[in-house]
């Protein structure tokens, strides 16, 4: 079989989807999985029969994985929230993400460890999305005590969409804290030291960007380099969504390859052998993945980069379909709910449609023989954009109720600009660290490019028929 | 002495190009050159002008519910155009929280 991992990923995903749709209890699916495992073991010498049993086993494993993820443990904090009861509680735990401050509220995720309801202490587990009125100087890993009202995020009052979003990230409880004085920091340093380091590095990069580049150029740079979109003006974001170019604000394969290129170049200058360069690039890539929030697109890009680097080290030809499938399997094994995440779906579909359609259409239209080179460059750019659009248009229309025919043209101009902005951003960072006197010049270039990007995007979105919204059901 | 690979040469050339272009941009911005206008990000590209935005435009931002959007327009018609964005706090129903949201979406010329 040429693509064994592709088949496994497809079967595993189908199993997850079946697990979501059907209401079959976990024990029955688990029993079936054990049965097929036994059958696979018994028929391991039989060719076709073994393959069929193994395929069924992988399919059932998908369903088992999802069901298991959805069953909350007895001590889960969400199990302590009761309908129409006074759910005021004192919660002890640690901050498990980078707290954000917006519109007078600080929000963060707390990993709950202990909870007190009506003078009774309970050992609890699970994550709680906390929202505190006012500003707080919290950071990842802070051990805290907070007092407030617990509620299920999917209750109508707490905005249904957020509830869905949080549940897809394994958060089934939320807490409103009326004032910052109800939050006490006990100690620092809980949580993963590696993740803590990545977040501190991210903070450092953000402050360097904000030091040299004005808004909104700094916000665009942060989004392109770190995937941090919190400061992007909402109307700019919507305008980019209309032109189908919002994907440039997400960290993806391009960014990871850029990081690898920079690391390789620096290590090459240090005259390190090839294998050493590969081994040293891996932890840096892993750290960058954490800095960029370890979202599905960046994890996919990181896994695929690692596969390609390993193939390069072992002098073997990498297979893009297998590496993509490996990335999908790893992501789904960690969190099977990612199968239903829009970002994850768009990330995989766009890569696969480029890989599948681009070479075929290129051969069909004989673009390789086009001259002069700049016409070939633009034609190939158009084709990459078109290939991605074919794959993602249906998903975008389904989820965002928008069809953007302009996306095919817009990406030809926007993607090279975004590439230059990202390169300028990384150069700005290098200059700010090594030669601060040069940093303002790099920031000015980035600012001019961002201005150009915003103007091109605005011009394209104002064209007649550039995009249209579909009626909501 | 400069024994560089093609990749290294490309990187050095790119960095120098960015630095030179950046110096030019900085000069243009400082000297108020007409070209500088093109390099600056106009507020109108990323926000809506609260003095000229119609009800439909305000509602499309989802920053204000219909009733408040109507109040803002009525206030604008009654008191004349806003001279500063902070003036919107004078509209009944717009507090600190709502103003923070309005700041993200609107500007006043």
């Amino acid at each position: 079989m040429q693509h064994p991992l592709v088949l496994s990923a497809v079967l595993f995903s189908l199993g997850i989807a079946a697990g979501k749709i059907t209401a079959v209890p976990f024990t029955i699916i688990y029993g079936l999985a054990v049965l097929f495992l036994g059958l696979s073991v018994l028929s391991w010498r039989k060719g076709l029969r073994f393959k069929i049993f193994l395929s069924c086993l992988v399919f059932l494993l998908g369903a088992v994985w999802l069901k298991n993820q959805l069953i909350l443990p007895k001590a889960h904090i969400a199990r302590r929230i009761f309908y129409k009861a006074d759910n005021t509680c004192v919660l002890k735990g640690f901050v498990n993400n980078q707290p954000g401050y917006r519109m007078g509220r600080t929000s963060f995720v707390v990993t709950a460890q202990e909870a007190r309801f009506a003078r009774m202490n309970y050992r609890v587990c699970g994550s709680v999305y906390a929202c505190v009125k006012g500003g707080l100087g919290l950071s990842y890993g802070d051990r805290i005590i907070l007092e407030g009202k617990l509620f299920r995020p999917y209750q109508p009052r707490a905005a249904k969409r957020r509830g869905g979003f949080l549940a897809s990230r394994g958060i089934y409880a939320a807490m409103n804290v009326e004032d910052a004085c109800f939050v006490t920091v006990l100690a620092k340093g809980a949580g993963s030291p590696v993740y803590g380091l990545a977040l501190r590095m991210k903070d450092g990069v953000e402050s360097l960007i904000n030091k040299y580049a004005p808004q909104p150029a700094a916000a665009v740079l942060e989004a392109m380099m770190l995937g941090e979109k919190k400061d992007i003006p909402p109307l700019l974001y919507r305008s980019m969504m209309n032109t189908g170019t919002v994907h440039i604000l997400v960290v993806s394969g391009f960014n990871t390859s850029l990081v690898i290129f920079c690391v390789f170049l620096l290590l090459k200058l240090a005259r390190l052998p090839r294998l050493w360069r590969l081994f040293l690039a891996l932890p840096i890539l892993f750290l960058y993945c954490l800095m960029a929030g370890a979202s599905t697109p960046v994890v996919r890009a990181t896994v695929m980069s690692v596969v390609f680097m390993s193939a390069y080290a072992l002098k073997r030809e990498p297979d893009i379909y297998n590496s993509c499938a490996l990335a999908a399997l790893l992501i789904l094994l960690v969190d099977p709910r990612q199968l239903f995440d829009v970002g994850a779906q768009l990330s995989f579909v766009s890569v696969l449609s480029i890989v599948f359609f681009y070479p075929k259409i290129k051969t069909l239209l004989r673009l390789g023989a086009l001259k002069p080179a700049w016409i070939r460059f633009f034609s190939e750019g158009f084709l990459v954009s078109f290939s991605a659009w074919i794959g993602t248009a249906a998903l975008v229309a389904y989820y965002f109720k928008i069809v953007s025919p302009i996306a095919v043209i817009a990406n030809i101009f926007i993607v090279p600009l975004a590439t230059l902005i990202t390169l300028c951003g990384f150069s700005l960072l290098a200059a700010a660290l090594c030669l601060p006197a040069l940093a303002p010049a790099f920031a000015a270039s980035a600012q001019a490019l961002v201005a150009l990007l915003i103007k091109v995007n605005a011009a394209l979105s104002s064209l007649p028929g550039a995009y249209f919204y579909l009626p909501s059901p | 002495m400069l024994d560089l690979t093609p990749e290294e040469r490309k990187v050095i050339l790119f960095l120098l190009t960015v630095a030179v272009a950046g110096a030019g941009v900085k000069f243009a911005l400082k000297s108020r050159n007409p070209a500088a206008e093109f390099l600056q990000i106009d507020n109108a590209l990323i926000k809506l002008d609260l003095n000229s935005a119609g009800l439909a435009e305000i509602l499309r931002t989802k920053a204000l519910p219909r009733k408040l959007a109507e109040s803002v327009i009525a206030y604008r018609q009654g008191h004349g155009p806003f001279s500063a964005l902070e003036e919107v706090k004078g509209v009944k129903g717009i507090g600190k929280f709502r103003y923070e949201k309005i700041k993200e979406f609107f500007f006043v010329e």
Side-chain angles (χ1 to χ4, degrees):
Chain A
M1 196 182 283
Q2 212 180 345
H3 305 298
L5 285 176
V6 176
L7 181 68
S8 311
V10 169
L11 286 170
F12 194 73
S13 306
L14 284 174
I16 293 172
K20 170 102 175 172
I21 298 163
T22 58
V24 184
F26 172 80
T27 42
I28 295 177
I29 304 174
Y30 188 72
L32 281 170
V34 172
L35 176 73
F36 277 99
L37 176 66
L39 289 170
S40 305
V41 170
L42 288 174
S43 60
W44 73 282
R45 279 169 193 270
K46 314 268 178 1
L48 184 66
R49 210 182 298 169
F50 173 73
K51 280 179 193 166
I52 292 170
F53 289 148
L54 198 69
S55 302
C56 292
L57 176 62
V58 175
F59 173 81
L60 287 165
L61 259 181
V64 164
W65 224 253
L66 180 80
K67 293 270 179 193
N68 214 358
Q69 196 90 22
L70 295 179
I71 297 167
L72 300 180
K74 272 187 182 169
H76 198 282
I77 184 77
R79 287 183 178 253
R80 299 254 160 229
I81 305 169
F82 300 104
Y83 181 59
K84 280 190 175 176
D86 177 26
N87 289 311
T88 305
C89 96
V90 179
L91 195 70
K92 193 174 171 186
F94 68 88
V95 181
N96 199 9
N97 74 337
Q98 199 172 24
Y101 179 76
R102 203 164 169 259
M103 289 182 200
R105 280 163 196 269
T106 309
S107 53
F108 50 93
V109 176
V110 184
T111 297
Q113 291 169 326
E114 227 177 289
R116 192 165 76 207
F117 290 91
R119 293 182 190 173
M120 291 285 280
N121 282 344
Y122 301 92
R123 280 231 163 264
V124 289
C125 62
S127 298
V128 177
Y129 176 82
C131 195
V132 184
K133 254 188 197 169
L136 279 167
L138 288 178
S139 54
Y140 171 79
D142 285 358
R143 205 172 279 282
I144 55 169
I145 292 180
L146 62 165
E147 188 178 350
K149 215 159 200 171
L150 268 180
F151 60 96
R152 287 180 194 271
Y154 51 80
Q155 281 176 348
R157 219 190 283 172
K160 265 189 175 170
R161 279 191 66 190
R162 168 158 289 179
F165 174 79
L166 291 176
S168 72
R169 274 145 186 80
I171 300 168
Y172 299 96
M175 181 185 250
N176 256 341
V177 181
E178 281 304 315
D179 198 274
C181 66
F182 292 114
V183 181
T184 316
V185 180
L186 299 175
K188 289 192 176 283
S192 153
V194 180
Y195 189 49
L197 173 72
L199 288 180
R200 278 197 299 280
M201 284 172 72
K202 186 184 174 186
D203 273 345
V205 172
E206 276 179 7
S207 59
L208 273 181
I209 292 171
N210 279 301
K211 184 177 170 189
Y212 291 105
Q215 288 294 354
V220 174
L221 279 174
E222 277 175 34
M224 286 184 184
M225 292 166 67
L226 301 165
E228 185 59 72
K229 295 190 280 284
K230 66 177 191 299
D231 294 328
I232 293 278
L235 292 182
L236 173 64
Y237 190 83
R238 190 171 300 166
S239 167
M240 296 190 86
M241 217 161 113
N242 291 341
T243 54
T245 54
V246 80
H247 62 91
I248 62 161
L249 301 177
V250 177
V251 171
S252 62
F254 167 69
N255 305 63
T256 49
S257 49
L258 204 67
V259 169
I260 295 170
F261 176 76
C262 294
V263 173
F264 264 52
L265 195 79
L266 284 173
L267 298 176
K268 201 177 174 185
L269 288 174
R271 306 287 177 211
L272 279 173
R274 199 174 64 166
L275 264 180
W276 274 96
R277 273 182 260 154
L278 278 170
F279 282 123
L280 285 171
L282 283 176
I284 295 172
L285 194 61
F286 178 65
L287 209 61
Y288 179 67
C289 175
L290 291 177
M291 277 172 76
S295 61
T296 306
V298 72
V299 173
R300 174 195 57 72
T302 307
V303 173
M304 286 178 76
S305 305
V306 170
V307 171
F308 274 72
M309 280 158 66
S310 314
Y312 176 67
L314 298 168
K315 293 180 182 170
R316 289 184 66 170
E317 191 68 35
D319 182 87
I320 196 155
Y321 289 107
N322 269 336
S323 61
C324 205
L326 177 69
L329 275 174
L330 287 178
I331 288 164
L332 292 175
L333 278 172
V334 173
D335 185 4
R337 286 169 296 210
Q338 288 298 313
L339 184 69
F340 312 106
D341 183 80
V342 194
Q345 290 174 6
L346 286 173
S347 172
F348 279 99
V349 168
S350 56
V351 168
L352 288 174
S353 57
I354 290 172
V355 171
F356 183 76
F357 291 117
Y358 174 70
K360 287 186 174 57
I361 305 175
K362 192 181 168 187
T363 317
L364 193 76
L365 300 176
R366 294 180 189 161
L367 283 190
L370 264 183
K371 274 179 188 169
W374 65 270
I375 293 186
R376 194 171 60 239
F377 172 79
F378 274 103
S379 320
E380 286 177 355
F382 175 81
L383 204 57
V384 171
S385 174
F386 181 67
S387 309
W389 186 74
I390 298 173
T392 53
L395 277 177
V396 172
Y398 175 72
Y399 285 114
F400 304 108
K401 306 279 177 265
I402 186 171
V403 178
S404 319
I406 197 69
V408 181
I409 310 282
N411 278 293
I412 300 173
F413 299 103
I414 300 287
V415 170
L417 270 174
T419 309
L420 279 176
I421 293 169
T422 314
L423 286 170
C424 274
F426 280 108
S427 313
L428 163 66
L429 201 63
L433 290 172
C434 311
L435 211 65
L438 262 181
F442 283 96
S445 288
Q447 185 193 345
L449 285 168
V450 171
L452 188 63
L453 180 130
I454 292 174
K455 281 176 185 175
V456 169
N457 188 67
L460 289 167
S461 73
S462 64
L463 288 176
Y467 64 92
F468 50 90
Y469 282 96
L470 299 171
S472 295
Chain B
M1 193 181 123
L2 276 172
D3 188 18
L4 300 166
T5 63
E7 287 88 20
E8 288 162 356
R9 283 177 203 187
K10 278 180 200 167
V11 170
I12 289 168
L13 275 177
F14 173 78
L15 292 175
L16 288 175
T17 311
V18 174
V20 170
V25 170
K26 273 193 81 180
F27 171 75
L29 289 172
K30 270 193 233 168
S31 62
R32 294 191 183 175
N33 195 301
E37 249 179 60
F38 184 77
L39 301 170
Q40 275 169 338
I41 300 160
D42 193 4
N43 246 340
L45 287 174
I46 49 171
K47 287 181 181 181
L48 274 178
D49 186 355
L50 197 58
N51 282 327
S52 60
L55 180 67
E57 280 177 302
I58 296 177
L59 289 178
R60 216 174 296 143
T61 61
K62 291 178 183 168
L64 293 171
R66 178 174 280 274
K67 246 187 171 173
L68 265 184
E70 283 169 353
S71 303
V72 167
I73 288 175
Y75 188 92
R76 196 173 69 190
Q77 283 164 348
H79 296 77
F82 295 103
S83 52
L85 195 59
E86 283 214 337
E87 234 180 89
V88 80
K89 282 183 186 169
V91 178
K92 197 180 170 194
I94 295 184
K96 201 175 149 192
F97 178 78
R98 189 68 69 178
Y99 175 67
E100 289 291 322
K101 201 160 189 181
I102 287 172
K103 257 196 336 194
E104 281 192 357
F105 288 89
F106 300 98
F107 76 103
V108 166
E109 197 80 72

